[in-house]
Amino acid sequence: MAHAALEAAKAKAKERGAPPNLRRGRITGGSGGQNPRRRRWSGSGADARDPQPLGRLVSRLVADSGWQGTVTNAQVFGQWARLVGEDVAEHAQPVALKDGELTVRASSTAWATQLRLLQGKLLTKIAAGVGHGVVKRMRIQGPTAPSWRKGPRHVPGRGPRDTYG
């Protein structure tokens, strides 16, 4: 008799288009081998239903979404002063990071030369702070000077004699 009632309930659920174990908005029976009479609150031990730290949730979101490479690249820009030091960060700013090549713009030509000399040490510091393989090469640019070429007519030559830095 119980078997017949079960079969009737399954047929009725099949007519509705719902799985047979759906009842009042939740799925029962698939509780992972737990007793259905078990209490539904978390005990004193750690449980997946407990509130999770924000860092753990964000890490899981980044991993599930496939954003790991983007977040790692963003760490170079966000932690620039900590990675290379305050004195270098004051005179150099990262501009772009593409295919492992970091483009850095220096505030003066002297600082651009200094950064080229420190390039190996800076790469080591960045690798220690962010991870190996994120930044493989550095392209160091000097400051950009204003263009003196204005208008449709231009006289060839060097223009004003100034080093801009």
Side-chain angles (χ1 to χ4, degrees):
M1 188 166 170
H3 185 60
L6 177 64
E7 291 300 322
K10 284 183 179 180
K12 193 172 185 180
K14 192 173 189 179
E15 288 174 12
R16 283 191 324 241
N21 60 353
L22 184 67
R23 182 192 300 176
R24 290 189 213 132
R26 65 187 176 114
I27 295 177
T28 58
S31 60
Q34 295 179 354
N35 185 358
R37 293 183 186 175
R38 183 174 180 255
R39 63 178 187 245
R40 297 200 175 13
W41 63 86
S42 178
S44 60
D47 192 1
R49 298 172 291 173
D50 290 341
Q52 301 293 318
L54 182 63
R56 185 180 305 159
L57 293 175
V58 170
S59 297
R60 189 179 311 149
L61 174 69
V62 166
D64 292 345
S65 300
W67 298 337
Q68 190 65 37
T70 306
V71 170
T72 306
N73 290 350
Q75 284 180 348
V76 174
F77 291 90
Q79 301 176 3
W80 179 251
R82 186 184 64 80
L83 291 173
V84 299
E86 292 293 329
D87 53 346
V88 173
E90 186 177 333
H91 296 283
Q93 292 298 320
V95 177
L97 178 58
K98 192 172 190 180
D99 298 329
E101 182 176 72
L102 178 66
T103 304
V104 178
R105 176 154 298 135
S107 62
S108 67
T109 54
W111 267 100
T113 304
Q114 184 69 20
L115 289 175
R116 286 184 188 104
L117 294 173
L118 292 173
Q119 188 172 0
K121 290 181 182 179
L122 292 177
L123 286 172
T124 305
K125 284 183 178 182
I126 292 170
V130 178
H132 296 284
V134 176
V135 177
K136 299 172 188 167
R137 296 175 305 280
M138 286 179 72
R139 175 178 288 174
I140 299 167
Q141 298 175 342
T144 56
S147 173
W148 293 101
R149 185 176 189 143
K150 294 179 177 63
R153 293 183 181 87
H154 176 71
V155 176
R158 286 182 45 200
R161 308 295 195 267
D162 196 357
T163 61
Y164 293 104

